[in-house]
Each structure stands twice: as structure tokens, then as C-alpha cells.
Amino acid sequence: MNFSNILAALDNAKERHLEDLTEWLKIPSVSSDSTRKSEVAAAANWVAEKLKTAGIATKIVPTDGHPLVIAETPPISGAPIALVYGHYDVQPAEPLEDWISGAFEPTVRDGNLYARGATDDKGQVLTHIQSVCDWMATGEPLPLQIKFLIEGEEEVGSENLERMLPSLRDELACDCVVISDSGQYAKDQPAITYGLRGIATYELKIQGPSQDLHSGSFGGAVMNPAIALCHLLSSIVDSEGRIQIDGYYDDVQALSEAERAAWAKLPQSDDQFAKEVGVDALFGETGFTTDERRWARPTFDINGLTSGHQGEGVKTIIPATASAKISFRLVPNQDPKKLTTALQNHINQHVATGVKATLEPSHGAPGMAADPESRYAKAAARAIASAFGTPPVMIREGGSIPIVTRFQDVLQCDCLLLGWGLSDDNAHSPNEKFCVQDYYRGIKASAILWTELGKLNESQA
Amino acid sequence: MNFSNILAALDNAKERHLEDLTEWLKIPSVSSDSTRKSEVAAAANWVAEKLKTAGIATKIVPTDGHPLVIAETPPISGAPIALVYGHYDVQPAEPLEDWISGAFEPTVRDGNLYARGATDDKGQVLTHIQSVCDWMATGEPLPLQIKFLIEGEEEVGSENLERMLPSLRDELACDCVVISDSGQYAKDQPAITYGLRGIATYELKIQGPSQDLHSGSFGGAVMNPAIALCHLLSSIVDSEGRIQIDGYYDDVQALSEAERAAWAKLPQSDDQFAKEVGVDALFGETGFTTDERRWARPTFDINGLTSGHQGEGVKTIIPATASAKISFRLVPNQDPKKLTTALQNHINQHVATGVKATLEPSHGAPGMAADPESRYAKAAARAIASAFGTPPVMIREGGSIPIVTRFQDVLQCDCLLLGWGLSDDNAHSPNEKFCVQDYYRGIKASAILWTELGKLNESQA
């Protein structure tokens, strides 16, 4: 095998690689939007066609929601099996008016490709697809079997995939899952992520009077549902950022001293961080650094508030209802189901008189911790160092990829989180982007990763 | 003068009276909606035409906002002058989907006329216009001079009228202002209202990061603006309904023992009240009855909440901004400007680190107290007793008619608040209505009021 041929082929294909991603990003595959069902399906078809065209055995597997795309290259005796996992669905693009160029009109500006899904996750997962497709086009044999599982419900909790995973155990059997759906530590400082936070999301609704009431005639007579909501939400987290639900911190896995020491060496500046996100000062639970708080401490966030009059001008009403979309990030060892029970108890105890509170759990997933010293992690570190010119740092991430712990449990495999994104990529925000250079470096790192992983069993044999 | 002719004429004109109101209600004169400017003007023109057609000297006076309609019948020597004040503008009709029949498609069901503005205030002010127009049509002379001031900005704070009032002092000179923009105490229990609460409205905006952030990557690192808003709003009022702004209760006029005793005799049931508004239990400041709380105690309400994701599904963001529309009801002697300063100080002291809070005052007006024993009040009581068959009770109301205290100050006149509405009329809510029978009784009471007021100076001469 002449690996330099493969790298040269990848190098020569940059223009096409960008065109491919642009084409895929044009499809508004918003999985949470029930009116976008056909677009979500189109995004699945796009990636299935891409894989098929390269000669990879590919199928589209229906689910109760959006379909899975499953593919695999031929088995290679004596080599490990890698499973690339990613998702073709994207977050909603709203508020649309805040996008400089259209959310589904991919546009390159200043070396970045702007579009919903650019970094989360179409651009990132496509790096692995490109490296395998182009490798196969050279006629050289792949050094290991590579499977693909590209799903369409990551942004809504991966519940169908979770449910179906046991039945796909044989088909997806692998030694190591490879996921690129996270970030580098900083520009030009790649990272391997060995931990993720879990998540639990809810909608909390407060019902007061049967309809909006005149705040003059009724103000002082009935509980205002929006006030009840604010009091209830405020009771969940104190002004220091500590969550007040009974037992919330009981199962929290403490940070090891080794981790805290390693992270303390990372180049980080709270001032710079604050500047990048546009705030005067950062904020969070006392006693922890910013990276510790966002990677390894549980949090509570309000994702949306809705009540009463939102239009122009004044409307002096007591709104009939008020609601909030809320979410918790969990750390490894916290159980989202246990949280739901504790949260419901908290609400029952703290809800005001004269209104009714309803808690609707949406999706939940536990956090994940992998071994930063595994042979797969070391192989990935070599691949990244070679492609990026800098060895990766070992970090955790604050986001959640709900399916990852399920892979570990069901497939009994290791897990590599190799993020090519950046913290200012605006995943889940307007003007999401992906650095075009990192897209290319990701493709190169992916190709090198296959050679590094291919060597593993041999060297151990 | 043969007054029975006039009453007979009013009795025979019921069908036309209803048609008139229906026509006026079809005009969507939402003063807070800048896209409705021409409809607001059309509602002014409608009432001006109605007065002119009856032979009353009428003019439309432009303001910096929506115009005033001013009219007057000829002076009557030796009799007092009454000024009828009302408004042709209405509240926004949203949420439109909650209306059983269209907000601007007046529909009679079960003896009620349903439409935005039916009770607040087109239907109520029209009672006085009908009584005067029809009186004049009989050819009988009116027993006193009656002036009309119908404005188009009551629902947005009457600021232009307030500003212009001193320059209109001579034109509007009167002994007594007559206003029907409030309610009876209960069905078939009419009332005269001798006190109103004041109001102060604001928009409170919290600005956090420069854009929505991924709650996984950033949760725990920055203050969530929606949480900051909830904490800030919660700091304004405690769980007992007591407002926590420094000095808020300092200027509050205490309830007299006589008032508390008189109100305690009113037929009222908290259980019935709760049932009517659709809640399990009423709520408010401890130590006061429901009527005391809503008529004579200051309150804080959240009228609307807006932040982050409000659509279908889950969007795990830290929203960049969060905002609330809030309002306070004030009692006589509380100054809305003083409140604005105190509220701004409260916000400065209580706003969380890492976000910016902006308070935008909208409109404010002090509360009003009139003499329930004045000769005008007694004349009105006689008129109402005759038209409704029941003597009115003397009450206060929780709503605000911002211009009323200005009339008292600038015109040095008495003030009669004669409400024909009912507490379940849904003013400011979907399915606003006005009882057709009360519309007719209001017209009759108005006509009798003119005779009663006409006698006053004679009897004292």
C-alpha cells in the first residue's frame, strides 16, 4: 500500500470535498420540525448515495422517526473494526433574521463555511466519509473494516436508535466507535474528548386562570402564572449557580486531582472567553474553573420562556399560562430518570397556590467517560498530530451525544471523540460555521487514523 | 319637557342602537399596533359622524398620536356642564385563535355582544352618545350642556391627551366628568366607582451573550439571561405577594375602616370568584379581602415573558436575551415616577453578574379617589336605581383610567365612574363581551342622569 498516493488524492480533491458538503448542507434536515420530514429524508438519501457511489454496501433503515443510514466496507482479517457514528439532522435555524447568509444557503466567508449543520454534524462526519470513499477510489485496500451509522435524530435525543441498538448489535459490532461531533480545544490546538455530559430536557407549563385576565380588575386576586413560573424556576437554581433540587449532587462523579491538574495547564483565559461570547464576565458555580464547570459539573439552563403578551406595546393582562423549556447537563454517574423524579418532587413542593404545574420530560441521556490512555486514543493522537501538526490535548466536553454511552454498553466497544470544530462555531446558534481548513485537516486525520488503527491488532499479535 | 317621550324613543330604538355598536366594533382600532393607524382613525371618524349627524357641534382634533373627538351640545344657563369621556381605541385581540367568533366580527350569543371593545369601551361610551343623540332627535331641549371627549389612546396611556389637556381647559370646562369604562359590582347589581388604581408599565430586557449559545458547550460558563430574568422578577415580589422594592408601600393610602366595613357587606364569595376565573384558589397579599386586594392594594404583574426557543421540540441553548413586560397597579397617593426610580435601583442592586438589564418605562398614571358622597354621585345613584331597578353600591375598581386624575387636577371637576360592564366581560382577553341588556339599561340610565344633573343647580339656587 502506498499511503502517500492516498494523501495526494485527498489533497487534490479539496474542491470536490467542499462542493459535497455544500450540497448536503443545502438540505434543511431539521429533525425536530414535523413539517421538514421529507427534507430530513432527503439528507439521509444524500449520504446513502454518497457511500453507495463509492462502492460501499449501504442501506437505509427505517425507524419510527427518521431513518438510519448504515454502511460497511469489507471485513479485513486480523484488523480491528471501526464504526463511524454521526448524524445528518440539524438544529432549528431560528431566529432566521440573525443569519448573515441563509441558514441553508452555505456560504464561505473568511475561510469558514457558514450554514446550519456545517460543524454539527454534517461537516464533521463527512470528513470520515470522504477519507474512506476517496481511499477506495484509489484502488488501495483499506487497512481495517469501517462501518458507518449516520442517524437523523441526534438533535432530538436519538430515542429510536437507542431502542433499536440491541437488535443491531451484530451488524454494528466493532472495536471502537469514531465520532467527530465535538471541538478542538482552541484554534490549531486539536483535542481528543474522553468525557461528555449527559442531558435531561423538559417543558414546564404553568396553568392559571382559564384565560388571560385584565390585570387591573384581577391583579391582586389571583396568582399570576408568569410570576409563579419565575418563582418556581428561581427555586431550582440559586444566585450562585448551585442547583437546589434535593439530592441533585449526590451521584456527581468528582473531578480527579490528575484531571484538574492537567486542565489547569491548558492555555485558557476567562477574559478572552468572555470577550468571545460577548459578556462582561463569566458566571458559574463557585470553586471550579470555567473548563471544569462546563465539562464536568452539572448545570441547569432555561432554553426558552413563553407567556402572555410578546408583541409590540403594552397589554396589561394576567396571562392564563406561562411555560419554560428547560434542560440540565449531567455528569457521568448521574441518572436522568432519577432527576425527573426529583425535579417533579421539587415542583410539587415549590409550585405556588392557585396555579397548576405540569412537567413534560423530553429526552434524557447519561454522561460518558472513556479511557484517555486506551490504545485507540493513542492511535488517534498520532493521526491528529500528523494531520494538524500539533499533538492533541485530552479534554472533556460539556455537550451531550446521548447515544455514546449506549454504544459503550451495547456494543462493548471503546469510543473516540475526535472533534474538528471550534468553540465559536455557533453550533445551535445563528451563523453556524465550520473552518474549511479544519474540514480538510479532518479528512486527512481520518485517513491517517485508518492506517494507525489498522496496525493495532498486528502490533499486538 | 315630557321625559316619558324620551324614554319611549330610546325604548323604540334598541335595534338601531345595537346596529350602531356593531358597526363601530367592526373597526379594529388597536391603538398599540402601528400597522392599524388607519383603522384607529376610522373609528374616530365613525363616532364623530354619529355626533355630527345628531346636530352636535363636533370636531376631530389631531394629536401626535391618534386624534381626539370633541363635541358639545349648546350651553344651558343655570345648569351644570357634564363632560362625557370615553375611548374608541381597543386592546390587541391576540391570541386570535382563542376567540369563538372573530374579535372584529361582532356576534350576539346568549344575550351578549362579543367583540374586542364591546365593553372596553365602545359599548359603554356609546350609551351616553345614544342618549344625547336620541334626546336631541325628539326635539326636546337637553336640561344641561353635555360635552364629549372621545380619545384614541386610552389603551396606550393617554399621553397625548394628558399633554394637551391644559390647552383644552376652557373648551372642556365642566362641573363633572362622566365615564363609563368600568363595571357593575355583579350581574344586576350596579355600582358607582369612586376610586381607581394607578398604573406603571415597563419592559425589562436582559442581555447576555452576543448570541444564543450551545447549552452543552457553554452551560456553566456564562449566566443564562432567562435565569437572570427569573431571579430578578422573583426578587420584585415574594411568595406571599408582597412587593420587595424599597419604599414601595411608603405612600400607600391605607383603607379606611368605613370602607372596609362597607365592602365587607357586599355579596362576595371567593369560591365563586375562583370558579369564574377558572382557578382552584385565589391568591394575594395576606391580611386583605379579595375586593380590598384588587381595588385598593398595589400589585405587581408579569404581563408577558419572551426568551429563547418557543417553537416545537427541544433547542438546547442559552438564549442571548430574555425580556418581560411588567406592570404595577398603584393606589391613590403612589407616584409612578417615584416607582420608576425605585424599580431601577432595585434592578441595579439585584441583577446578576454577566448580564445587562435595561428597564424601559412605558406609561404611568397615579390612582384616583373621588368623593362617594358628592351631589353628582347622589344624582347618578338616583339615575342608576331608576334604570336598573336596584340602587348602586359604592365601590372602587382595580383598573386604571390614567386620564381621570388629570381631569380632576386640570378641570377642577368632580368625576362620576358609572360602569355598565361585568367582571366576566373579558376586557383585555379573548371573547370580550357586553351584555346587550346592560347596554340598553346604560342608555336609559344615561338619559335619566341628564335630567338629574340638570336639576342640581336649580335646586341649590
Side-chain angles (χ1 to χ4, degrees), chain A residues 94 197 210 212 215-216 219-221 224 231 237 277 283 293 301 303 305 307 310-311 313 315 317 325 329 429, chain B residues 94 197 210 212 215-216 219-221 224 231 237 277 283 293 301-303 305 307 310-311 313 315 317 325 329 429:
Chain A
E94 286 77 12
R197 290 196 291 191
S210 49
D212 294 351
S215 74
N224 180 311
H231 274 146
V237 62
V277 299
F283 172 85
R293 293 198 311 268
D301 272 299
N303 312 119
L305 288 174
S307 182
Q310 305 189 321
K315 194 174 175 198
I317 51 166
K325 307 225 181 200
R329 296 287 167 170
S429 303
Chain B
E94 285 77 14
R197 291 195 290 191
S210 49
D212 293 351
S215 72
N224 181 309
H231 274 146
V237 62
V277 299
F283 173 86
R293 293 198 312 267
D301 272 299
I302 300 175
N303 313 118
L305 288 174
S307 183
Q310 305 189 320
K315 196 175 173 197
I317 52 167
K325 307 225 180 198
R329 296 288 167 170
S429 303

Side-chain angles (χ1 to χ4, degrees), chain A residues 13-312:
Chain A
K14 286 181 174 174
E15 202 170 320
R16 181 176 46 75
H17 290 165
L18 191 60
E19 284 165 11
D20 282 348
L21 177 53
T22 299
E23 208 176 288
W24 202 16
L25 289 170
K26 281 182 183 168
I27 307 171
S29 47
V30 181
S31 51
S32 64
D33 183 346
S34 54
T35 69
R36 295 285 205 189
K37 228 171 161 148
S38 66
E39 287 92 338
V40 179
N45 291 337
W46 187 93
V47 69
E49 276 308 308
K50 170 82 186 158
L51 290 159
K52 267 185 218 167
T53 306
I56 301 169
T58 304
K59 58 184 183 178
I60 294 180
V61 179
T63 74
D64 286 347
H66 302 299
L68 307 173
V69 177
I70 297 180
E72 59 176 44
T73 63
I76 305 293
S77 171
I81 303 171
L83 169 67
V84 172
Y85 164 80
H87 61 96
Y88 61 82
D89 65 321
V90 301
Q91 280 275 314
E94 286 77 12
L96 299 178
E97 62 275 18
D98 289 354
W99 286 79
I100 292 165
S101 49
F104 300 105
E105 295 158 16
T107 306
V108 176
R109 283 193 304 278
D110 301 329
N112 296 304
L113 180 61
Y114 286 85
R116 172 56 84 232
T119 191
D120 180 16
D121 177 48
K122 286 172 178 168
Q124 294 209 56
V125 69
L126 195 55
T127 60
H128 302 294
I129 295 167
Q130 298 285 19
S131 74
V132 175
C133 292
D134 284 18
W135 188 308
M136 291 182 68
T138 64
E140 298 276 358
L142 280 160
L144 79 172
Q145 183 179 28
I146 300 164
K147 298 179 178 181
F148 290 94
L149 169 65
I150 322 288
E151 71 147 321
E153 300 187 308
E154 197 274 344
E155 299 293 2
V156 290
S158 304
E159 280 177 17
N160 285 305
L161 174 54
E162 272 203 40
R163 196 166 33 239
M164 291 165 72
L165 200 58
S167 68
L168 297 167
R169 185 183 284 121
D170 294 341
E171 196 163 357
L172 299 177
C174 64
D175 298 283
C176 176
V177 178
V178 176
I179 305 174
S180 292
D181 193 16
S182 52
Q184 303 179 54
Y185 180 71
K187 181 89 189 146
D188 297 325
Q189 177 52 70
I192 293 177
T193 302
Y194 65 92
L196 293 169
R197 290 196 291 191
I199 190 167
T201 66
Y202 305 89
E203 184 153 7
L204 174 59
K205 291 184 179 170
I206 304 290
Q207 175 70 51
S210 49
Q211 60 185 321
D212 294 351
L213 298 175
H214 189 298
S215 74
S217 309
F218 295 91
V222 298
M223 171 53 77
N224 180 311
I227 293 178
L229 180 68
C230 287
H231 274 146
L232 193 50
L233 292 170
S234 293
S235 77
I236 293 176
V237 62
D238 71 11
S239 60
E240 307 286 304
R242 289 279 299 182
I243 291 154
Q244 301 298 305
I245 297 168
D246 275 353
Y248 185 74
Y249 292 96
D250 287 357
D251 299 330
V252 166
Q253 196 183 72
L255 275 152
S256 75
E257 285 312 309
E259 272 178 313
R260 300 189 81 163
W263 294 353
K265 285 185 206 140
L266 294 172
Q268 73 161 3
S269 153
D270 276 4
D271 288 351
Q272 182 59 28
F273 192 110
K275 208 170 157 187
E276 275 168 22
V277 299
V279 296
D280 286 343
L282 299 183
F283 172 85
E285 199 188 0
T286 48
F288 297 92
T289 67
T290 303
D291 281 345
E292 287 167 357
R293 293 198 311 268
R294 65 201 189 100
W295 293 347
R297 293 297 299 171
T299 54
F300 166 67
D301 272 299
I302 300 174
N303 312 119
L305 288 174
T306 305
S307 182
H309 185 54
Q310 305 189 321
E312 196 190 352

Side-chain angles (χ1 to χ4, degrees), chain A residues 406-428:
Chain A
R406 291 287 286 162
F407 287 143
Q408 291 179 315
D409 289 351
V410 175
L411 305 180
Q412 292 288 313
C413 60
D414 211 316
C415 212
L416 284 176
L417 302 176
L418 314 176
W420 317 135
L422 291 172
S423 65
D424 66 348
D425 272 350
N426 302 327
H428 296 208

